[in-house]
Amino acid sequence: MIGCSERGQWQMPETQHEGRRVGEVIRKARVLRRRSQKDVATALGYHQSKVSRLENGRGTGDIAVLRALAEELGIPPGQLGLASEADASAVGPDTVPAHMHRRTFLAAGLAALTPPPATPTPAHDDLVQVLLPGPGPSPTGVPSDPTALRERVGAVRRLFYTCDYTTLERVLPGLIADLRQAVSDAVTDTCALSGMLATAYQTATSLLLKQHDQGNAWLAVGRAMAEAERSGDPVILASSVRVQAHVLAREKHAAQAVTVVRCTADQLAGSYDRRSPKFLAALGLLLLRGVTAASGGGDRAACGTFLAEAKEVARYVCLERPDAWANFSPTNVALHEVSALVALGDTGRALQAARPLMHRPIPVPERRAALWVEAARAYSRQDRLADACRALQVAESCAAQDVRRPAVRDLVADMAARDRRRTLPQLHEFSRRVGATA
């Protein structure tokens, strides 16, 4: 959930409280030493606005800057929420650099709780490696000016929407490494670069969730949240909160996911006619994540509220193209309504809502496949296994890699196991093709 500071910059509520406390410690130490903000900033090689922002509780997630300030002003590291140098050396300088964001420690611990996929690929190992604490892989050497980096971020988003997960997993680590280097080296445009890096981490989170690698998804979303806060962009923050809610819901924390979405959406809502398409798309997708979380937790009231709000936002924006910044539209809202009805057990209503969509052009392969997978779930729950199999075959024609993810393979395995007399050879052939084990 995010909040708005005095100058309109968006932060997480827990970060706001901690940021204000740290900022006050810095201000008191500076005043006690009778030094101006400009004097301190010059001594550290920063602009005065950097110190001003810190004292106002913004940008306090940058541990390297906090350590430099602590040394310059004689502030005990513990007062700024930092470990002492002795504590840091005990952890090991080669494994945990001082600049690592505190949230990454938490995410790394959570990642250890969930094992990686049974057969991790070298590309998967590279992706996990670039998310871990430490310096990370070396940059690729590909041109990394802001324009080129923005184009590469757009390219990985397209790979996700077109369900080319194999290529996405291969190119994401290099992009993240290049973006991390660009953020580290940047003198200007640091907020924009942090925003791009946050988007790359968001994409990594979504990919890892597709692979049912929740542990490393926690690690990726921790990175995404840290960079989103540094960007100061409410659109990027809303998108990071969305993937955070996705991870929470996947880990059966539906109520917490609903709360995160609700509090964030409340602060972004309103004045839709004066908002940019990107802002509205980010808000709309956040509300749709609330639909998924609420329906997964059986909360019909919250699900209905989120759906109604998403439909209202969709009146003002329509981004149907696969190459759009974010795929939000009335069609996407309708698709989430189908998914919610299936999750709530209303299979008849779900299929009724799905039928018009089956004849509607849906340009994004991932969304087309999702429609037919949800239809298959509904048919399966009605014991209409032949219809469910046909729906899955259509989904495969839309996005072959998407029907090979663990969640769909589990559905196929369950269907095949229920056909004990093997009256549906096409189902068992499909099961073998996607690697499902009955």
Side-chain angles (χ1 to χ4, degrees):
M1 58 192 94
I2 53 181
C4 186
S5 65
E6 294 174 352
R7 296 186 183 180
Q9 184 156 359
W10 297 79
Q11 296 178 322
M12 305 301 294
E14 67 269 24
T15 306
Q16 284 183 306
H17 177 76
E18 177 68 3
R20 286 194 294 268
R21 185 194 68 77
V22 169
E24 184 62 15
V25 169
I26 295 170
R27 188 191 66 80
K28 286 182 178 179
R30 178 181 60 76
V31 172
L32 184 64
R33 285 158 182 76
R34 298 183 179 181
R35 297 181 64 178
S36 67
Q37 289 183 347
K38 184 176 181 180
D39 175 44
V40 173
T42 300
L44 297 176
Y46 298 123
H47 189 272
Q48 178 184 345
S49 62
K50 181 78 168 181
V51 177
S52 176
R53 282 168 50 79
L54 288 167
E55 291 188 0
N56 284 312
R58 297 190 294 278
T60 54
D62 193 328
I63 291 178
V65 176
L66 292 181
R67 285 200 182 282
L69 269 170
E71 183 176 351
E72 182 67 20
L73 297 176
I75 304 171
Q79 291 187 19
L80 300 183
L82 303 170
S84 66
E85 292 297 332
D87 291 339
S89 63
V91 175
D94 293 333
T95 57
V96 183
H99 67 269
M100 194 179 79
H101 193 282
R102 282 169 288 183
R103 182 174 281 106
T104 307
F105 284 107
L106 173 62
L110 287 167
L113 300 178
T114 305
T119 55
T121 64
H124 187 85
D125 290 341
D126 289 343
L127 178 58
V128 173
Q129 184 64 38
V130 82
L131 300 174
L132 291 172
S138 301
T140 64
V142 174
S144 55
D145 60 277
T147 300
L149 287 170
R150 191 173 299 281
E151 290 175 354
R152 291 170 64 190
V153 170
V156 299
R157 295 304 295 162
R158 287 192 292 276
L159 288 172
F160 181 80
Y161 288 134
T162 55
C163 303
D164 190 351
Y165 304 136
T166 301
T167 304
L168 175 61
E169 190 173 52
R170 188 172 66 249
V171 303
L172 254 181
L175 173 60
I176 290 173
D178 288 349
L179 282 166
R180 287 175 63 172
Q181 186 65 47
V183 170
S184 176
D185 293 345
V187 177
T188 60
D189 295 328
T190 55
C191 290
L193 288 168
S194 287
M196 285 187 269
L197 181 53
T199 300
Y201 283 135
Q202 293 164 17
T203 307
T205 305
S206 298
L207 175 61
L208 290 163
L209 288 175
K210 288 279 188 182
Q211 299 170 335
H212 274 215
D213 188 355
Q214 279 86 276
N216 287 311
W218 273 115
L219 184 57
V221 80
R223 293 280 196 176
M225 293 301 300
E227 292 302 328
E229 288 176 33
R230 291 191 183 103
S231 78
D233 185 338
V235 171
I236 301 296
L237 278 165
S239 298
S240 293
V241 171
R242 173 174 56 83
V243 293
Q244 182 190 48
H246 194 181
V247 179
L248 284 167
R250 181 65 66 84
E251 287 288 84
K252 308 303 181 185
H253 300 303
Q256 292 91 328
V258 167
T259 299
V260 165
V261 172
R262 179 72 280 155
C263 292
T264 306
D266 283 347
Q267 301 208 36
L268 295 173
S271 303
Y272 298 150
D273 59 329
R274 296 194 296 274
R275 302 288 194 176
S276 70
K278 287 185 178 181
F279 185 100
L280 292 172
L283 173 58
L285 290 170
L286 177 65
L287 291 166
L288 293 182
R289 181 55 57 203
V291 170
T292 302
S295 61
D299 189 341
R300 290 178 178 271
C303 181
T305 300
F306 283 133
L307 266 174
E309 293 178 23
K311 289 176 181 177
E312 176 65 17
V313 174
R315 292 176 52 208
Y316 296 90
V317 63
C318 183
L319 297 175
E320 296 272 17
R321 305 185 314 276
D323 61 341
W325 177 87
N327 174 41
F328 179 72
S329 66
T331 297
N332 204 355
V333 176
L335 289 169
H336 278 75
E337 185 169 13
V338 171
S339 179
L341 289 168
V342 173
L344 292 169
D346 298 336
T347 55
R349 292 177 58 201
L351 290 170
Q352 184 178 9
R355 286 187 187 102
L357 297 173
M358 293 173 179
H359 304 288
R360 183 183 302 178
I362 301 175
V364 181
E366 191 265 345
R367 293 287 82 204
R368 287 202 306 272
L371 168 65
W372 289 98
V373 168
E374 291 303 331
R377 291 189 195 283
Y379 285 132
S380 176
R381 292 184 185 183
Q382 293 181 349
D383 288 325
R384 297 166 59 181
L385 297 183
D387 290 332
C389 182
R390 281 192 289 271
L392 287 171
Q393 289 170 331
V394 176
E396 184 184 35
S397 71
C398 298
Q401 291 186 39
D402 202 60
V403 299
R404 285 160 175 77
R405 57 192 170 92
V408 181
R409 289 204 305 267
D410 289 347
L411 170 63
V412 176
D414 174 71
M415 290 166 52
R418 286 155 54 196
D419 184 30
R420 296 183 182 88
R421 297 185 179 181
R422 303 182 73 84
T423 59
L424 298 171
Q426 70 272 25
L427 171 59
H428 297 278
E429 193 278 328
F430 184 84
S431 177
R432 287 191 297 273
R433 189 163 67 246
V434 301
T437 302

